[in-house]
Amino acid sequence: MALSEYIVMRELNHPDINQFAVYRRLGGWDAYATALRERTPAAVVQLVREAGLRGRGGAGFPTGVKWGFLPKGVFPRYLLCNCDESEPGTFNNHQIIDRNPHQLIEGVALSAYAIESNTAYIYMRGEFAAAALTLERAIAEAYQAGFLGRNILGTGYDLDIYVHRGAGAYICGEETALMESLEGKIGQPRLKPPFPAVAGLYGKPTIINNVETLANVPRIVERGVAWYRSYGTEKSPGTKCFSLSGHVNRPGNYELPFGVPLRELIESPEYGGGMRGGRKVKIIIPGGASAPWLTAKHLDVPLDYEGVAAAGSMLGSGAVIVLDETVKAPHVAYKMDEFFKHESCGKCTPCREGTHWLVKVLHRMADEGHGEAGDIETLHGIYRQMAGNCFCLLGESAVMPIKSALQLFPEEFETIIETSSRQHGRGKHVIPLL
Amino acid sequence: MLLDTHQSEIEAIIARYAQKRSAVLPLLYLAQDTYGYLNPAAVREVAAILDLPATDVFEVVGFYTLFYDKPVGTWMLQVCDDLPCCYLGAEELLTALKRTLGIREDQTTADGMFTLQRVKCLAACDRAPVVQANLDYLYDVTAERADLLLANLRARAAEAKQRGLSGRSAEDFVVETDRLSHMSRDAAYQERSFTIEPPPPPTPPAELDSGYDLPQFRRASPL
Amino acid sequence: MPDVTITVDGRTFSVPAGTNVVDAARMGDVAIPVFCYHPRMQPVGMCRMCLVQIGTPKLDPATRQPVRGDDGRPVIVMMPKLQTGCTTPVSEGMVINTVSDEVKFAQKGVLEFLLTSHPLDCPVCDKGGECPLQNLTMQWGPGKSRFDYNDKVHFEKPVPLGDLILLDRERCILCSRCVRFQDELAGDPVLGFDNRGRNWMIISKSDPPFDSKFSGNTTDICPVGALTSADFRFKARVWEVNSKPAVCTLCSVGCNLSLDMRHEQLMRVMPRENGAVNDIWICDKGRFAHRFIEHESRLTTPLIRKGDQLVEATWEEALALVAEKLAALQSSRSGSAIAGLASPRLSNEDLYAFQRLFREQLLSNNLDHTIGSPADGDYDDLGALLGVGKGTNLMGLGAGTTVLLVGADPEEEAPLYVLRLRAMAQRGARLIVANLRPTKLEQAAGLGLRYRVGGELAFARAILRELLTRMSSDRLTVKQNGLDQLRKQLLALKPEELAEAAGVDQAQVAAVATALLDAEHGIIMYGSEARSAGPALVETLGAIAVLSGKVGRANSGLIPLLPGGNQRGALDMGVRPDARPGYALLAQRGLSARELWGAVRTGTVRAVWIAGLDPAATLPAAREALANAEFLVVQDLFLTETARLADVVLPAASVAERDGTYTNAERRVQRSRAARMPHGQSRPDWQIIQGVAQLLGELTVVPARGSTDTAKGVQSAKSRRESTVAVSSEPIRWDYLTVGELAAEIAERVPTYAGVTYDALAATGKPGDWGRQVNEAVFYDGTNYENTEGVGLALPALVESGRATVNLAPRPALASGDDRPLLLLVQPLAYGGDPLLRGSLLERQIPRPYVAISQTDAEKLNIRSGDRIRLDSAAGELLSVARVVADLPAGLVMAPADLPGQDLAAVQTGTRTRVSLVKIVT
Ligand SMILES: Cc1cc2nc3c(=O)[nH]c(=O)nc-3n(C[C@H](O)[C@H](O)[C@H](O)COP(=O)(O)O)c2cc1C
Ligand code: SF4
Ligand code: FES
């Protein structure tokens, strides 16, 4: 059941919405202008809180509540929009920017107003160079129209929005690492507490939200709480842009109300269009690389935070990767952990060494086909030594793929060990000692 | 010197931030585009502009993958080998590219035209396999289209040189069976037609290694 | 801080609130293993070694009171995940479990992970035997690793990170202690990380690499053998060495050292903990320079001049010759024909004995502890008068303290003060740095001020004037005179004119005054640049301390940074022409070093005894005078330029070869112990002095105490046995068997040294008084900072006795009629021409001669770095090479002190010299 009116992916209703004039004609920036003139910042926060908007960056934390954590009377404050989008399977943030940029900028502006900040940065992953240009152009148009800059619309409110490009590091999506990166340092997460709301960018109170989260805000302010809550479920109101990829016929972003069953996203001809070649679903990773895996038996799980959690996984960033029976679980785990290994910042021991070790063993098993007795226990041991002990969630996420693979498909690991011929030695990565 | 050639741009960049140091990444991009790669002198120049200890800036160059501290080709080809690209033809594409170019990952062709790299997820999984060339996005690059892609890029070498490595004027392209079509950024949105054929089921290519673990591909010690 | 009660592994005890779990558990004798945590640095929680289980009492949301269970005890909610103890502050009722299965599994896991990228090359690793990784693996690690050895990372074995430190990247466990030490504590952010993830590695890209005066400390705090010192590499296994407690005499800080000896050989120098002096750090000079002790050019036997040659002699011959000559001169011409110079690096006992010999036996007051260069400043008496009060402990100071640093560059003059002042600033102290030019410490300062060239007196007066306007009599806690005169003269000056002359904003002057007045403790430090401005400046600084009420008590007063490790001791011991030990001024003063050379040339002074100084090396006037002196005795470690001119050369034992006490800049007396036998036949200075004194006693008719009659009846050495020697009724005592007897005599006779007994010096205080006195397994695991020899004793400032009076009457500024355009300042460098750098790795860092000139002046004179230049002054000319320094103020040129090959004395007219400068075009 496709939405008749989209909240974020409005290009589906209005293909020209990336034009500033079109966005304006559709009522764009009105919510912002009205809010500046008629609403207090606190009223905007209240609205967002009542709408039940939850962060789309992964944790699903209620946005209005987060905004309420700012210490009173401490300025300046910063708003950061997180567009670091680097987790395998996630790809909606830059499409929002490509197709509906002005709504994001209005969302950033409105949110900055709500938290009484005069400076906002949109942190884009370095690879999004083209999207950064789109965004910069759209921001320039907003300045020109008087929605940004000094004394906006005569209300006395000042706001600057800047685009800041990272330079290739997934960890910079983690909120405190992002701040380090924005401060010109290597992107390693900071110790918490203090939390960003208290001491974030430059040690000042800072709010950080995902692109999709902020793109929702203008619609909430414009159309109101009841309208917004008419989408989705009680606990997960609104819609979500699901990034669907893998062995489906029609990969892409699909905006659906929360609560739609996984099956509909994958099989409906309007969305995933079923599996390629009619093959069977084997592995579903419902929330980006850090989510525990689901299988075909979970196809009826409702896609909202609670539903996916009940199934033993997490909705995360809403990136749904569907793999068919042609893949081998150990190899999927290998590819995923290779990602985490590559992106491990190096700060903490369990993540730095654990991902490396996992990849060593998995590479030997899944890529080279050499298993050894004891490998399975070793793999269990490694991820257990990591789980719960890492500095930040990257390391914790790296546990999920291998843990899921071992749990769901232990026989595939056993087969490798059984069929592996001992004569092959220790694989080809033996490094001569001297 | 950067300050001589780009003074107003540098000042504008620094003005965006409450602390000068925040301008490190943008200035490194600028230096990389100006000098072709971040040689030690360029890094020190950025450090001097921002009054930072040189070590701090070298640290940044070493941490982020889009900064190149060695000379690279005119086109920096970055092939996503992550899930889901990996299962939708990225390995086959890499094999094809390596065969055509006669190089391995992290190497540059003898004519200095291409450097080939495996990279992790480029956040365009719906258009796998995905490649970036000097941060231009190239979608739907199946192995059969590798030669077409290379020919097109080769023809645009002068343009690449002029635009630099750091995406200061990046664009998007779709690689189709017979041509590369440019995706205009302000064109109206068009529903995508799903015409790309599913690639054959993945067969492990002859030479399969992740490229990251081999000692020779580890970044040589800077010391 | 209030205390909170916690329970660790079932034992309940109290610790100060805010303590982190690792430190807190330690207070209850529970060791939580750590790698990245270091008690001197901010916790970062990186290594994850300190994971423990933590629970807190469940609170009733309404009453905020702990909920009690059926047993009446608070219900404890355990946190779902293990927590890093190093980053978690304790709270009331917290329960900590460090031994549960989960904790053990996690600790084993982290250790196993760390070992996956570690080469396990302990048998060839310098750290082996004192390695936290080894030790922690023994106690907390898994028995064996499941990781495939072949999968380990292999890197080229050590690469130099600079001249002094080597990095073995395979061994590094990426705890970032070294990087953080350089960033947080040393303030030299020259270390960093390249790459990321498992390829993360330490780099240094400063120019030169690892450009820091504190680099050696990183090898101590490195918990593995990744950072090793080029000085110690492959020298010895640490269990073979014997740590001998010593005190560094290379600058006025007086850091506590351990000389790690293997038999008679010095293997390395390590810091010895002393919270009141150097904490657990030492600078690279202290660590690496002590190679002079074993240098092959050390003198081994006495030498006597035979014609043009110095030939080996026995001690008997040499001492007899000295005694005979001096006695003869003394009787024929009186003591005033004899002069003595002793190095400000000698121990208090040597210096005391030296002045006794001269005053009591040779009846000469021609004594000094400098070489008499025009650049030598005045005697710093004010530092003792107003010097920081007894009980001062910088380690305990933070918020509530203001430190005003004027005209000093501690990085070069007394490096460890950089660490101590930075740490104080981090603890909340207000650090104000005022200089002519930028210095390192300025970056750590809350307020950095630059007065204009020649504007320092105006600057100090501006502050003083401000204090006078805010005068309150209850702040005047010490006896003084001259206040009215001071008030009259200073209030007559206009504040805006003073500020203008100083080149400092009036508001900032007021801010300095406020900072001093508001502070509970106030310390004023000054260094070579300030002292070169003449006594008027130092006295004004003293007046500032007095008028702001920051004298006469602990943690307040003046700290002068004097050259020479024991210049304070030399002043205290009266090795000067005008005062006896204890600053007792003499009615009749002798000749100072500066007056000496003329007197030698004219023949007024016939014999000179020089202990540990080398005037001939840098002072042409001295060289010329000494070459023609009738009799020259030199007592030194090396055959110095001066020694080459001597008639008798006496080999002295080095600091490592003898006991002695030394008095540092804060007037703390500390005892250093012999680490080995004296080199060759060399003897401790005091023994040499006593040897001559004893012979003199036999030779001369000793006048009664206090009499100034000239001795008569000198006998030759050969005939002395037969002769009748008049023995004084009260014989002068020269029968010290040990240096301790001399020390006891000092404690008895020198005012303010009362109570400075060996027992008192050996006290280490109660735990908690000053850091840690025992080796702390957890934090410093491996590295032995243990201090069993004592932390020394701080002397009271003279004003604390209540008897001394401070004269506040201002004296006029030095006027210079010289209108040459530039001011030449001499800059002491840590790695300058100090002869004690010989044989060490630091020798390479001694710069070639140069003169630093500002960018502005360089442009005006069309000079670039490397150009040959000539300095002209009223005294003469100097050829050198220019080094253009961007942030030097215009009008100033600076030349390093004592650089071999740079004859500064040729141009110097005083502590400061007006010069003009031209480029030499060839
Ligand atoms: C390793 C790691 C990577 C992350 N990457 C992203 C990201 O790319 N984009 C994002 O919005 N949030 C990312 N997050 C989540 C952010 O830390 C943060 O929670 C989020 O931006 C908050 O926005 P929201 O409240 O709107 O969800 C990441 C978190 C972790 C631990
Ligand atoms: S888990 Fe540790 S190493 Fe991994 S990214 Fe987070 S802090 Fe860095
Ligand atoms: S994490 Fe606590 S000691 Fe390293």
Side-chain angles (χ1 to χ4, degrees), chain C residues 423-499:
Chain C
M424 272 173 73
Q426 278 162 13
R427 290 192 296 264
R430 194 155 162 74
L431 180 60
I432 303 169
V433 171
N435 266 321
L436 269 175
R437 60 185 178 94
T439 58
K440 235 285 280 306
L441 214 50
E442 203 177 65
Q443 292 147 26
L447 182 58
L449 299 171
R450 307 254 182 93
Y451 40 74
R452 91 172 25 131
V453 177
E456 48 277 271
L457 186 58
F459 168 71
R461 285 186 170 163
I463 299 171
L464 189 55
R465 192 188 181 286
E466 183 72 26
L467 290 172
L468 279 169
T469 61
R470 305 194 212 167
M471 186 66 196
S472 134
S473 54
D474 59 338
R475 277 199 298 269
L476 268 184
T477 52
V478 295
K479 274 200 261 175
Q480 50 76 29
N481 57 38
L483 179 61
D484 291 338
Q485 233 174 312
L486 176 74
R487 196 178 272 147
K488 203 161 104 218
Q489 286 198 21
L490 277 197
L491 293 180
L493 302 169
K494 291 210 176 60
E496 60 278 6
E497 281 170 11
L498 276 175

Side-chain angles (χ1 to χ4, degrees), chain A residues 15-16 18-19 94 98 121 125 127 134 164-168 181-182 185 202 331 335-336 338-339 341, chain B residues 16-17 22 29 64-66 81-83 87 120-121 123 126 132 135 166 185-189 194 210 213:
Chain A
D16 286 336
N18 61 351
Q19 312 278 323
H94 75 108
D98 285 346
Y121 295 98
R125 69 179 285 191
E127 288 84 348
T134 306
H164 182 94
R165 261 174 70 207
S181 177
L182 191 45
K185 303 174 190 154
Y202 306 128
H331 192 261
K335 286 308 290 185
M336 284 262 158
E338 198 183 45
F339 166 79
K341 180 202 151 177
Chain B
R16 290 186 215 154
Y17 307 101
S22 285
Y29 276 132
Y64 295 97
T65 55
L66 294 182
D81 79 340
D82 217 329
L83 234 75
Y87 292 126
K120 292 295 158 193
C121 185
D126 55 335
Q132 277 199 313
L135 302 191
S166 306
R185 300 221 120 230
D186 47 8
Y189 172 70
F194 290 90
S210 70
D213 289 330

Side-chain angles (χ1 to χ4, degrees), chain A residues 171 174 187-189 340 343-353 355 390-396, chain C residues 46 48 197:
Chain A
I171 186 64
E174 199 281 339
Q188 288 188 326
F340 286 113
E343 300 301 338
S344 171
C345 75
K347 184 166 183 163
C348 75
T349 311
C351 170
R352 180 183 70 233
E353 305 295 338
T355 52
C390 295
F391 188 93
C392 82
L393 287 178
L394 189 151
E396 304 294 332
Chain C
M46 290 167 65
R48 320 303 289 174

Side-chain angles (χ1 to χ4, degrees), chain C residues 672-684:
Chain C
S672 181
R673 308 294 302 263
R676 47 167 276 183
M677 298 294 289
H679 184 78
Q681 297 177 26
S682 65
R683 292 182 179 176

